Amino acid sequence: MLTIEAPPLSTLFDPIDFTGGVIAAVSGGSDSTALLILLKDYLDRNAPGTKLLAVTVDHGLRPGSDAEACAVARLCAWRGIDHRTLKWTGPKPATGLPAAARAARYRLLAQAAREAGIGTVLTGHTADDQAETVRMRMQRGGAAGAEQRGLAGMAPATCLEDGLWLLRPFLGARREALRDVLRREGVGWAEDPTNADRHYERPRVRAALDGAGAEALLELAHEAATERRSLDRRTARLLRRIATQPSAGLLRLSPELAQADDRGAAIHALRVLLATVGGVSFLPDKARVAALFERFAAAERIRATLSRVVVDARRGGLYLYREARGLPVPTGASDGMIWDGRRRITFRDRRGAMVIAPLGAHAVRSGAPVADDVPQSLVRRALAAEPVLTEQGENGVSAQALPLLAPWAHFLPDFDLETARVIAELTGAPPVPVPPFSGYGKSAMEPLH
Ligand SMILES: Nc1ncnc2c1ncn2[C@@H]1O[C@H](COP(=O)(O)OP(=O)(O)OP(=O)(O)O)[C@@H](O)[C@H]1O
């Protein structure tokens, strides 16, 4: 057992449900090394049967990266922790290397989790990392400033593509406190020279931040996260009241939307629905959507296109469906493929081949009757943009094209969880996996300050 005082660092694991096992993502730097030993100690004390696997990704970008991975492996052997190193072997881009390395890292961590049958990954991101992230987002926001949502920084919990939860329990902990733990325990760590390389944005930001600056950024992030969670809950509530899917690919917002007292939630609801229906990963421009909402509230006639979506105001409400322009041409379907940003193809049987294409003109004939108050012309146009899977050749293949939550297809931060859940129910997308921690939305997984 460690000699460190229990609170507050060790209590940061309290809200996490470890029953499905856990992966610790350990680079060998101070933060993730502290994560490893604190987590091991926590599990030994509180949940000794838990499956713990440490994973190191060797990006192969610097000489000696394999030695760092070996050092983590040695530490794990010493502490009785299972460990794996995974190598990033793909081509390395000349520009945008940090982003490509991050994407590869998450892909490899997800692979390790799948292979180990574990659904939760913990990283060692700290409050210092959070302050840097917020500063970078502010800088990228330009003169107008970053959108408030982004200033919430990294989420304490994020659901990745295949239902894997990525948790960052140390977002409330300062790097120096973690290093103190390591010093007291006599555990060393690797210093990544990239962290001091001013060619990259993060090291420049890190070097320019003093303690007071970091505190102010963390305060800002906390306020932005609180506001974002509140908007999420209000938007989910509003969508439950006013949104329906009367037929395939067609969403309807009831006229009640025009009277919504909560204008912020109404505009946000429209933005997330536009992105979802259009299969676009980013939310459409807030000012344009606000203008659209005002026109609807003023009972104006609307037939507009935004975010690849036709927005049509009728007596029955505001209808949304994917525009016909820019639909994918017929193409071979493969397992796991994302079609038009809106559907994920899942094969039940991997033999044979299938083609996926928009239904197009067939929709005129195949449209199933729907409620009388829904304009049949809209039903047909929405259906025409829906996919149809056709078998090729002799071998029967069965596959599904399941709806996808486009804004969160790759990363669903827990800030947006309630809205994502409602939209999954509305569109028939697979339900959002339950997060492996208690007290969601309370203070449990909130960064501390
Ligand atoms: N090569 C890697 N292998 C496994 N996990 C990693 C790797 N690089 C980063 N991570 C995870 O992502 C977190 C944040 O990454 P970041 O690049 O900020 O950290 P670092 O400087 O490499 O190391 P540390 O956070 O341990 O000081 C790490 O704490 C760790 O959990």
Side-chain angles (χ1 to χ4, degrees), residues 251-318:
L251 292 191
R252 175 168 67 179
L253 298 170
S254 77
E256 202 193 317
L257 172 70
Q259 276 91 50
D261 295 332
D262 190 342
R263 193 173 169 277
I267 292 166
H268 189 57
L270 271 174
R271 293 179 81 197
V272 290
L273 288 181
L274 284 163
T276 306
V277 175
V280 177
S281 60
F282 50 89
L283 302 187
D285 181 65
K286 195 171 172 181
R288 289 188 66 192
V289 178
L292 190 80
F293 171 72
E294 297 306 343
R295 287 177 59 199
F296 183 65
E300 279 183 37
R301 171 92 188 95
I302 301 172
R303 188 151 199 282
T305 306
L306 195 56
S307 187
R308 312 202 307 178
V309 175
V310 178
V311 183
D312 199 329
R314 303 279 175 114
R315 251 210 322 277
L318 194 67

Side-chain angles (χ1 to χ4, degrees), residues 166-334:
L166 179 78
L167 306 187
R168 301 179 173 108
F170 286 171
L171 280 184
R174 299 308 295 257
R175 178 166 297 134
E176 264 319 300
L178 296 175
R179 291 188 170 187
D180 283 345
V181 169
L182 295 178
R183 289 186 197 106
R184 277 205 297 275
E185 287 300 309
V187 174
W189 66 85
E191 289 289 357
D192 178 354
T194 323
N195 286 343
D197 183 345
R198 305 277 179 105
H199 288 101
Y200 295 110
E201 186 186 15
R202 187 175 284 275
R204 283 199 301 276
V205 166
R206 184 172 294 184
L209 261 187
D210 59 16
E215 281 303 327
L217 287 165
L218 292 173
E219 197 49 50
L220 183 69
H222 181 66
E223 279 166 24
T226 305
E227 171 50 30
R228 187 162 165 175
R229 286 187 202 286
S230 155
L231 183 63
D232 176 49
R233 284 191 286 266
R234 281 149 42 214
T235 303
R237 254 197 322 267
L238 180 67
L239 282 171
R240 274 206 183 90
R241 275 209 327 267
I242 63 161
T244 49
Q245 182 171 251
S247 66
L250 185 66
L251 292 191
R252 175 168 67 179
L253 298 170
S254 77
E256 202 193 317
L257 172 70
Q259 276 91 50
D261 295 332
D262 190 342
R263 193 173 169 277
I267 292 166
H268 189 57
L270 271 174
R271 293 179 81 197
V272 290
L273 288 181
L274 284 163
T276 306
V277 175
V280 177
S281 60
F282 50 89
L283 302 187
D285 181 65
K286 195 171 172 181
R288 289 188 66 192
V289 178
L292 190 80
F293 171 72
E294 297 306 343
R295 287 177 59 199
F296 183 65
E300 279 183 37
R301 171 92 188 95
I302 301 172
R303 188 151 199 282
T305 306
L306 195 56
S307 187
R308 312 202 307 178
V309 175
V310 178
V311 183
D312 199 329
R314 303 279 175 114
R315 251 210 322 277
L318 194 67
Y319 289 90
L320 311 178
Y321 59 92
R322 169 75 166 92
E323 67 169 330
R325 204 168 48 128
L327 282 168
V329 295
T331 181
S334 54

Side-chain angles (χ1 to χ4, degrees), residues 327-328 331 337-343 345 356-358 385-387:
L327 282 168
T331 181
M337 161 187 171
I338 293 182
W339 182 80
D340 196 35
R342 296 185 289 145
R343 298 299 180 104
I345 313 299
I356 185 161
E386 288 294 278

